[in-house]
């Protein structure tokens, strides 16, 4: 295993796709503690955080042959943990809602599956729209929205002026508004 510890994440992912369990264990050991801290910060429960991180790594192992990364493994993993946290919170809220409904004899229809599918469609539409942006514009948008960097920080990292950062963000947001507007119009028709 010591030999794999010196491999990059990309090399380990390639090995993982070939069913290399040591590559998986190396990635797990490299990231589990960071992901546990992230999950704990979001959930406030060590038990729930451990469950989320375990589920995330189990899903990665189960999907290892189909694993496609657009960005770094760390970014992929952090997003996967965030979605597992959201799923756990939604599940807990659903149980609370069911308990309240049962206690008061309220009978409502569960639209969570439909809402989830609509959320997935919307997320895919947004991602497709972002992918269609020019490279620099897309990079500025992701740095702003996904990494929460300020215009000044983005300008310093990309060695461009803050006005250029603003211009890229304006273009990205306008494109998203137009794209999302077409979805809402199609839903109304």
């Amino acid at each position: 295993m010591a030999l794999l510890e010196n491999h990059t994440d990309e090399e380990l992912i390639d090995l993982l796709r070939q069913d290399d369990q040591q590559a998986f264990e190396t990635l797990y050991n490299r990231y589990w503690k960071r992901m546990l801290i992230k999950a704990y910060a979001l959930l406030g429960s060590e038990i729930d955080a451990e469950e989320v991180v375990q589920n995330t790594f189990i899903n990665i192992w189960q999907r290892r042959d189909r694993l496609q990364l657009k960005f770094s493994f760390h970014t992929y993993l952090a997003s996967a943990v965030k979605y597992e946290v959201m799923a756990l919170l939604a599940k807990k809220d659903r149980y609370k809602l069911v308990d309240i409904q049962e206690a008061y004899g309220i009978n409502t229809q569960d639209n969570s599956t439909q809402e989830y599918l609509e959320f997935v469609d919307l997320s895919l539409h947004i991602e497709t729209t972002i992918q269609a942006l020019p490279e620099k514009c897309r990079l500025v948008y992701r740095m702003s929205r996904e990494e929460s960097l300020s215009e000044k920080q983005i300008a310093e990292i990309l060695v461009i002026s803050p006005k250029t950062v603003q211009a890229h963000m304006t273009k990205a947001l306008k494109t998203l508004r137009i794209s999302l507007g077409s979805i809402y119009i199609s839903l109304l028709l």
Side-chain angles (χ1 to χ4, degrees), residues 86-101 110 112-113 116:
M86 289 174 14
L88 180 65
L89 291 174
K91 185 171 129 183
K92 284 184 172 193
D93 284 346
R94 199 171 319 128
Y95 286 137
K96 286 179 191 173
L97 181 60
V98 168
D99 290 344
I100 292 168
Q101 289 172 345
D110 182 10
S112 61
T113 303
Y116 175 74

Side-chain angles (χ1 to χ4, degrees), residues 108-123:
T108 61
Q109 185 177 2
D110 182 10
N111 292 329
S112 61
T113 303
Q114 180 63 32
E115 289 172 359
Y116 175 74
L117 292 174
E118 289 171 0
F119 170 76
V120 168
D121 285 345
L122 181 61
S123 297

Side-chain angles (χ1 to χ4, degrees), residues 20 27 40 48 60-61 75 85-86 95 109 123-124 150 162 166 168 183 187:
D20 189 318
L27 287 166
Y40 180 77
D48 288 344
I60 288 171
W61 176 254
T75 302
V85 166
M86 289 174 14
Y95 286 137
Q109 185 177 2
S123 297
L124 287 172
S150 69
Q166 287 177 352
H168 283 304
I183 284 183
L187 288 175

Side-chain angles (χ1 to χ4, degrees), residues 26-98:
T26 302
L27 287 166
Y28 181 88
N29 291 331
R30 189 175 288 177
Y31 287 106
W32 76 268
K33 190 169 188 174
R34 283 190 253 179
M35 294 303 112
L36 185 64
I37 291 168
K38 179 178 179 62
Y40 180 77
L42 294 168
L43 294 166
S45 164
E46 190 173 333
I47 293 170
D48 288 344
E50 287 176 1
E51 179 183 342
V52 161
V53 173
Q54 286 300 100
N55 286 343
T56 302
F57 276 102
I58 288 169
N59 289 336
I60 288 171
W61 176 254
Q62 291 172 339
R63 297 180 59 233
R64 66 191 175 277
D65 58 332
R66 313 181 290 283
L67 200 58
Q68 296 296 322
L69 304 180
K70 293 180 184 177
F71 304 103
S72 69
F73 179 70
H74 179 265
T75 302
Y76 175 85
L77 188 58
S79 294
V81 166
K82 183 175 76 172
Y83 288 118
E84 282 289 329
V85 166
M86 289 174 14
L88 180 65
L89 291 174
K91 185 171 129 183
K92 284 184 172 193
D93 284 346
R94 199 171 319 128
Y95 286 137
K96 286 179 191 173
L97 181 60
V98 168

